[in-house]
Amino acid sequence: MTKRFAPKPSGYVPGSSELCFGLRFISGKYQGGEYALAEGQEIVIGRSSELDMVLVEEMVSRKHARIALAEGVISIADLGSTNGTFVNGEKVDEGTLKEGDRVLIGTNILKVISLAQDSGEKLDLKAVAAGRATARQQPTLNRSGDEAPRMSGSLEEIPLPDLLQLFGTSKKDGVLVLRSGSREGRIYLNEGRVRFAVIDDIVSAPSLKAVYRMLEWRRGMFALDPPDTREFDERIDASAQEILMEGSRQQDELNAIRGRLPAMTAALSLKTPLEPKLRELSPGELDLLQVALNGSSLDAVFDAASGTDLETAKGIIALIQRGYLESGG
């Protein structure tokens, strides 16, 4: 199936040699490298040492894909690879690319960039034609020993929603490790579907709650580790699309009612005198009341509650409105 992604750039002048694009590795073992693509140039990507761009890894076919720049249009074609070529999460046979598009080949994610705009320097077109790659060191996740992650990069470059779409479409297996500030999250994937998720190894927290929270992480690093075949008590089986749609819906609803909640640093206490009867509460409401009374702050209550953040927010608001809880300020 052919995918079309972009028209000819508006700034293109036929016959100009100044327009030059490039492919920047934003994930994978070649992360930080750039490969320039000049007007009229075609590169064939694959595992074979005879090709223009050689990616030595098992998930890349000997001749995997072809990318070319002609008359300002960047075209891409899969060359019958075993594992496929993906653009912005969609598997493609052929199509066109524009600046900012992300191409997944094997475990490598390449971003299309405009080198002329990016560098602000006159390009050495001889070096471009030779396919010169320049290494730019990027931060990586700290790992024990010399083992390198199968795929790693920055969440600023590739947000988690984009990663889940990429891995879902390409049916990746593995453990997606995220680090944002002092927090670490893990999302366990089986053929691109989410089967378990955890933050800071707190396995008692619901998986969906963990993955919805990680969708809000905007900064940090990610790495795709090898598959983990452990079985978990709370196993889920959700596609990337299901996770993203439900996560977006819950976040929108949570933002809409956030103003009705006390400050996240506020402590909750039993309202006195307590007029409503405790027997009027359901078992789930009683559990949340207990969590609220034991928590040092509303933030701690959200962490300890068994439901998602949206369910917890709705429950706390209801307990306050019904006269069971009050805020300490």
Side-chain angles (χ1 to χ4, degrees):
M1 179 177 179
T2 300
K3 299 288 183 180
R4 305 297 294 179
F5 294 97
K8 190 177 300 184
S10 58
Y12 172 70
V13 179
S16 170
S17 61
E18 294 301 316
L19 184 63
C20 182
F21 291 94
L23 301 170
R24 175 180 294 161
F25 288 85
I26 58 176
S27 177
K29 64 188 294 186
Y30 307 101
Q31 182 186 346
E34 292 178 358
Y35 196 107
L37 183 63
E39 171 64 29
Q41 185 183 7
E42 175 181 288
I43 60 173
V44 178
I45 305 168
R47 203 171 66 245
S48 172
S49 60
E50 301 174 352
L51 302 182
D52 305 296
M53 182 187 292
V54 182
L55 303 180
V56 185
E57 62 167 89
E58 61 181 13
M59 293 190 67
V60 176
S61 298
R62 287 183 59 79
K63 285 188 177 181
H64 197 107
R66 179 176 59 247
I67 296 177
L69 174 60
E71 297 186 347
V73 176
I74 310 173
S75 61
I76 183 170
D78 182 81
L79 300 178
S81 66
T82 301
N83 294 298
T85 301
F86 299 83
V87 177
N88 298 331
E90 293 189 42
K91 190 173 184 179
V92 300
D93 294 326
E94 60 180 32
T96 56
L97 303 171
K98 65 180 183 297
E99 186 178 353
D101 282 344
R102 300 183 181 98
V103 180
L104 175 65
I105 296 176
T107 63
N108 305 276
I109 301 177
L110 302 95
K111 183 178 181 179
V112 179
I113 60 173
S114 173
L115 291 182
Q117 296 175 6
D118 192 63
S119 65
E121 302 174 355
K122 186 174 181 179
L123 296 167
D124 181 350
L125 294 179
K126 290 184 179 180
V128 168
R132 183 185 62 187
T134 58
R136 294 184 181 179
Q137 293 301 318
Q138 300 286 343
T140 57
L141 291 172
N142 294 323
R143 296 169 59 85
S144 59
D146 297 327
E147 180 188 1
R150 295 174 62 194
M151 183 183 294
S152 65
S154 163
L155 289 175
E156 289 93 325
E157 284 275 19
I158 320 176
L160 179 56
D162 291 1
L163 285 171
L164 289 178
Q165 286 183 322
L166 278 170
F167 298 156
T169 307
S170 55
K171 297 185 178 181
K172 284 281 190 289
D173 291 326
V175 181
L176 180 57
V177 183
L178 308 175
R179 287 184 183 166
S180 181
S182 61
R183 312 213 73 176
E184 179 178 285
R186 293 174 177 268
I187 300 175
Y188 294 75
L189 301 172
N190 181 24
E191 293 190 350
R193 297 180 68 85
V194 176
R195 66 181 182 91
F196 188 74
V198 63
I199 295 177
D200 295 333
D201 290 328
I202 304 175
V203 294
S204 58
S207 283
L208 288 175
K209 176 178 178 176
V211 74
Y212 293 157
R213 283 190 171 191
M214 283 185 268
L215 287 173
E216 298 302 305
W217 292 3
R218 299 289 184 248
R219 296 181 178 275
M221 303 299 300
F222 74 86
L224 183 64
D225 281 1
D228 187 326
T229 57
R230 283 183 299 169
E231 291 295 331
F232 298 95
D233 292 337
E234 190 226 353
R235 180 187 173 101
I236 60 176
D237 181 24
S239 69
Q241 194 65 25
E242 291 168 337
I243 292 289
L244 295 176
M245 290 182 63
E246 180 61 17
S248 177
R249 183 194 69 81
Q250 292 212 13
Q251 191 59 46
D252 288 345
E253 286 195 35
L254 181 58
N255 289 336
I257 64 174
R258 198 180 293 276
R260 296 160 59 188
L261 288 166
M264 297 301 289
T265 55
L268 298 174
S269 59
L270 199 64
K271 188 172 183 179
T272 54
L274 182 63
E275 296 181 358
K277 304 297 183 183
L278 290 175
R279 65 172 176 266
E280 295 176 359
L281 294 175
S282 67
E285 291 170 332
L286 280 171
D287 288 344
L288 181 57
L289 179 65
Q290 183 177 5
V291 171
L293 297 177
N294 290 337
S296 58
S297 66
L298 182 58
D299 192 47
V301 173
F302 272 81
D303 284 343
S306 60
T308 66
D309 286 343
L310 177 60
E311 292 168 340
T312 301
K314 287 181 175 180
I316 291 296
I317 290 171
L319 289 173
I320 292 174
Q321 290 178 336
R322 292 167 64 183
Y324 289 97
L325 286 175
E326 60 184 357
S327 168

